[in-house]
Each structure stands twice: as C-alpha cells, then as structure tokens.
Amino acid sequence: MINAEQMRAARALLDWTRDELAEKSGVSAPTIKLMETRGTERSVIATVNAVQMALEEAGVAFIPENGGGAGVRRRDRRS
C-alpha cells in the first residue's frame, strides 16, 4: 500500500492538483487531502487502491520499502 509521501510525490511528478487526482481516481478531493496529511494507514484499502491505480495508469511507478525508503518515479514511457 502506498503512503502519504508517495501520493504527494506522484502528484508532483504528474503536476496534478488534488482535484485532478480526485477526478481520475473517483475519490473525493477532501479524502485525498486527509490521506496525504494524516497518512494512508487508516484509509479504506479500496480507496488507497483507487488512488494508486489512477497514478499508475498515468505513468507513475511506486518503489516499495527496500532498506533505502519507499519511493516513486515515472515509468519508462517505452514499456
């Protein structure tokens, strides 16, 4: 499951506002704000998954915790 920092970083990579992410994910902008400020741990898993899927479909790849910290990057557009 992605965390709040990854959500904010992914939006920044895409240059999306919370409203744009809300539109693409079907999750309300106030809920996205709560997830980004309070964390995703208390969020409904289906809600986090909807946000993650929208960001991945837009070209973001999430990097899991691997000893160096979780992260986010743009996918190679060729793949």
Side-chain angles (χ1 to χ4, degrees), residues 23-61:
E23 181 182 325
K24 301 283 186 185
S25 67
V27 175
S28 73
T31 298
I32 289 170
K33 181 178 180 180
L34 283 174
M35 291 169 66
E36 289 185 345
T37 57
R38 294 186 182 169
T40 60
E41 297 80 19
R42 295 186 206 169
S43 300
V44 175
I45 293 173
T47 303
V48 179
N49 287 342
V51 169
Q52 183 171 344
M53 284 178 35
L55 293 166
E56 287 175 339
E57 287 175 5
V60 170

Side-chain angles (χ1 to χ4, degrees), residues 8-9 15 23 25 45 54 62 72-73 76-77:
R8 290 190 304 267
D15 196 27
E23 181 182 325
S25 67
I45 293 173
F62 292 98
V72 62
R73 67 176 170 216
D76 183 347
R77 295 184 193 276

Side-chain angles (χ1 to χ4, degrees), residues 3 5-6 61-73:
N3 62 39
E5 292 83 9
Q6 287 174 301
F62 292 98
I63 304 164
E65 175 66 49
N66 60 5
V72 62
R73 67 176 170 216

